[in-house]
Amino acid sequence: MKKFAALALGMMLAVAASASSEGFEKKGFLTTKWCVENDMFKDCRLETVVCGYGGCNQNWEFGDPIKEEMVLYVHDDGKYYKVDLGHVERSELDEAMNRNEVTLIGSYDAKNNVIHVKEFKAPPPPKKSFFKGCL
């Protein structure tokens, strides 16, 4: 009877874990796939947001389709997750792009490694500092 109870409890936990993928929440560095693959976090090139890779702005014309592959890089996991914005407008994420401590909330598709975003939380912008002193 104890084995059956333990098995039933394990199955209930597995079902609860699979159902919790709907309330998925992950915090990391929001950037583009090209920047992660080239280890360019702080100095990620701005054009990768529009046309997908560094230097692509020389060939990209206004009106060409946007080819961005947005990802969330999680330092603790050491990997990135693809981002599907769903109903979130891309312009809303401008304040979070190329920033750390961005939290994406939604569901997670483990098979395709995609976070389907329903909402996000971005950290406040960095405070401006004024250099006081002489060189």
Side-chain angles (χ1 to χ4, degrees), residues 59-134:
N59 301 325
W60 191 82
E61 297 288 329
F62 184 76
D64 287 350
I66 294 175
K67 299 176 185 176
E68 109 183 310
E69 292 182 85
M70 197 179 306
V71 299
L72 183 74
Y73 181 79
V74 180
H75 299 286
D76 294 339
D77 296 352
K79 65 179 190 174
Y80 65 86
Y81 300 85
K82 297 174 193 169
V83 175
D84 172 34
L85 295 179
H87 299 292
V88 176
E89 291 293 324
R90 170 60 184 90
S91 60
E92 291 179 35
L93 283 173
D94 284 345
E95 67 187 61
M97 201 64 190
N98 290 331
R99 305 263 318 272
N100 205 5
E101 301 294 316
V102 176
T103 304
L104 299 182
I105 303 163
S107 60
Y108 177 61
D109 177 4
K111 181 180 178 185
N112 296 313
N113 191 34
V114 177
I115 299 174
H116 300 282
V117 179
K118 292 187 179 171
E119 62 180 293
F120 73 98
K121 297 175 190 170
K127 294 182 179 180
K128 294 182 181 178
S129 62
F130 182 76
F131 177 75
K132 294 181 181 178
C134 54

Side-chain angles (χ1 to χ4, degrees), residues 6-51:
L7 180 63
L9 179 62
M11 289 176 66
M12 288 186 331
L13 289 173
V15 169
S18 66
S20 68
S21 68
E22 195 61 37
F24 186 80
E25 187 171 315
K26 208 60 149 165
K27 184 183 278 190
F29 190 88
L30 186 66
T31 189
T32 62
K33 183 178 177 183
W34 185 87
C35 291
V36 170
E37 290 175 344
N38 291 284
D39 292 325
M40 297 183 98
F41 292 98
K42 185 177 179 183
D43 299 322
C44 183
R45 297 180 182 211
L46 188 58
E47 67 262 19
T48 65
V49 174
V50 176
C51 52

